[in-house]
Amino acid sequence: MAETDSTPSPQASSFQRRVPEGDSRERLVCADCGFVNYENPKIVVGVVATWEGRILLCRRAIHPRRGFWTLPAGYLELNETTADGAAREAFEEACARIRIDQLLAVYSIPRISQVQLMYRADLVSPDVAAGEETEAVGLFEWDEIPWEEIAFPSVHWALHHHRETRHEAAFVPRSNPPGETGDMRPLPRNP
Amino acid sequence: MAETDSTPSPQASSFQRRVPEGDSRERLVCADCGFVNYENPKIVVGVVATWEGRILLCRRAIHPRRGFWTLPAGYLELNETTADGAAREAFEEACARIRIDQLLAVYSIPRISQVQLMYRADLVSPDVAAGEETEAVGLFEWDEIPWEEIAFPSVHWALHHHRETRHEAAFVPRSNPPGETGDMRPLPRNP
């Protein structure tokens, strides 16, 4: 789950910020060809997937937060449904096959223009393995979770929201904890 | 709620499709400056907002589906939370002030790479008026809804999902009806 904005900056020589005709906001416009590069928030899809109550986590092999633990998650691709994207990420990052149960949470990280849709899911089997962007995977009991080495605030949120709702067959999806914006800062000790 | 993809096409002379280094998918890359135009699905945020049970609808003043009725909805902007975006759209399109209750539905329209987050909301007052992209607004009892003139399939879905859940204080958000992808086709008669 990447919470940095990986959009490359267009070269200053070609793109400039101005309000296109008929629009009300500044956009990046190419001075050479007039192409308007509409910038939109990005959608991250991910899962809290369990096998017999143990939670699937991945240790990141890539920046940012390389070496830290995260949930399987990543950018939704074009022409993909959110549930399909979450299942794809679980497979790409942890070679995990999952059955999605229901939407666990919708988090907004406005500083980096990211919306995260996290699903609750069951693993179809405990056979998981590190994918390309992953150093290691593990199935963790709650008390075994490496709380000091969690990659992002929203991973904390999703783990706790999963904990709160794990015995509920149906529930209202959670959103950001009150006052939380997802910005990185020293992470709280846990539990 | 626009369900067409309004991203302008970059001119063929500058942009070409290729797999950037370290990537696994084709992206639009500018042949002149090397800028990679990552294309991502877009997030639409909207509301089913009511006043004493009557539902707020807007008649579209813009293409596509000009003259047809829709729910207040539009693209999430950068640095915005989903709830704030939904409230902004209600204000921009219908001069409506709302209090968001809970997430009603998450719809995926994969053909046009769109994810729609629709909220259930209460109007703070019945004072609504047409915004810039709207020809007319109205507060409709269920039986008064202009079913033959609804702009998009997902507006139908959201209205029916709102109907199903209107007496529930808490509920699981809905997603696409089974087998439905949101593609435009002759709309069903209703109810």
Side-chain angles (χ1 to χ4, degrees):
Chain A
M1 185 184 303
E3 287 187 10
T4 53
D5 185 350
S6 63
T7 306
S9 293
Q11 294 184 9
S13 59
S14 297
F15 281 85
Q16 52 188 220
R17 293 208 159 267
R18 61 179 177 83
V19 180
E21 200 181 315
D23 202 340
S24 60
R25 291 169 194 256
E26 281 196 347
R27 313 288 179 183
L28 274 179
V29 183
C30 179
D32 295 334
C33 70
F35 174 62
V36 182
N37 180 48
Y38 283 94
E39 296 170 290
N40 294 100
K42 291 193 175 61
I43 305 169
V44 165
V45 287
V47 291
V48 182
T50 55
W51 177 260
E52 295 175 353
R54 285 180 298 150
I55 296 171
L56 174 62
L57 292 174
C58 303
R59 199 163 63 201
R60 293 173 61 82
I62 54 171
H63 289 292
R65 303 289 278 168
R66 182 174 172 171
F68 286 77
W69 291 87
T70 190
L71 293 161
Y75 290 120
L76 187 66
E77 289 284 353
L78 292 180
N79 307 122
E80 196 172 49
T81 69
T82 54
D84 286 349
R88 176 184 50 73
E89 287 291 342
F91 188 74
E92 284 181 4
E93 300 196 349
C95 306
R97 296 188 186 276
I98 63 171
R99 195 165 31 228
I100 285 182
D101 171 25
Q102 80 150 83
L103 186 64
L104 175 68
V106 177
Y107 303 128
S108 290
I109 320 284
R111 187 181 54 82
I112 54 171
S113 298
Q114 202 175 88
V115 174
Q116 301 184 350
L117 300 180
M118 301 301 296
Y119 286 89
R120 185 170 77 173
D122 297 306
L123 286 162
V124 173
S125 91
D127 298 325
V128 293
E132 268 196 27
E133 299 182 351
T134 305
E135 283 179 0
V137 294
L139 292 168
F140 293 89
E141 299 285 353
W142 183 255
D143 295 333
E144 300 166 351
I145 291 173
W147 293 109
E148 304 297 317
E149 296 162 36
I150 294 294
F152 304 112
S154 62
V155 176
H156 273 264
W157 306 343
L159 289 169
H160 283 86
H161 287 155
H162 185 271
R163 181 82 175 168
E164 270 175 34
T165 54
R166 72 195 188 284
H167 298 308
E168 295 178 48
F171 58 91
V172 176
R174 299 328 200 228
S175 54
N176 293 33
E180 298 277 331
T181 60
D183 282 347
M184 295 292 288
R185 57 171 187 276
L187 295 169
R189 285 203 161 247
N190 222 297
Chain B
M1 186 185 297
E3 287 188 12
T4 53
D5 187 350
S6 63
T7 306
S9 294
Q11 294 184 6
S13 59
S14 298
F15 281 84
Q16 50 188 220
R17 293 209 159 267
R18 61 179 177 83
V19 180
E21 200 182 314
D23 202 338
S24 60
R25 290 169 195 256
E26 281 197 346
R27 313 287 180 184
L28 274 179
V29 183
C30 179
D32 295 335
C33 70
F35 174 62
V36 182
N37 181 46
Y38 283 94
E39 295 170 290
N40 294 100
K42 292 193 175 61
I43 305 168
V44 165
V45 287
V47 292
V48 182
T50 55
W51 177 260
E52 295 176 353
R54 285 179 297 150
I55 296 171
L56 174 62
L57 292 175
C58 303
R59 198 164 65 202
R60 294 173 62 82
I62 54 170
H63 289 292
R65 302 288 280 168
R66 182 173 171 173
F68 286 76
W69 291 88
T70 190
L71 292 161
Y75 290 120
L76 186 67
E77 289 284 355
L78 292 179
N79 307 122
E80 197 173 47
T81 69
T82 53
D84 286 349
R88 175 184 51 71
E89 288 290 341
F91 188 75
E92 285 181 3
E93 300 195 349
C95 305
R97 295 188 187 278
I98 63 170
R99 198 166 27 231
I100 284 181
D101 170 26
Q102 81 150 80
L103 185 63
L104 175 68
V106 177
Y107 303 128
S108 291
I109 320 285
R111 187 181 54 83
I112 54 170
S113 298
Q114 203 175 86
V115 174
Q116 302 185 351
L117 300 180
M118 302 301 295
Y119 286 89
R120 185 171 78 175
D122 298 306
L123 286 162
V124 172
S125 92
D127 297 325
V128 293
E132 269 195 28
E133 299 182 352
T134 305
E135 282 179 2
V137 293
L139 292 169
F140 294 89
E141 298 285 353
W142 183 255
D143 296 333
E144 300 166 351
I145 291 173
W147 293 110
E148 305 297 318
E149 298 163 35
I150 294 294
F152 305 112
S154 63
V155 175
H156 273 264
W157 306 345
L159 290 169
H160 283 85
H161 287 154
H162 185 271
R163 181 83 176 167
E164 270 175 34
T165 55
R166 72 195 188 285
H167 297 309
E168 296 179 47
F171 58 90
V172 176
R174 299 329 199 226
S175 54
N176 296 33
E180 297 278 331
T181 60
D183 281 348
M184 295 292 287
R185 57 170 185 278
L187 294 169
R189 285 200 162 247
N190 223 298

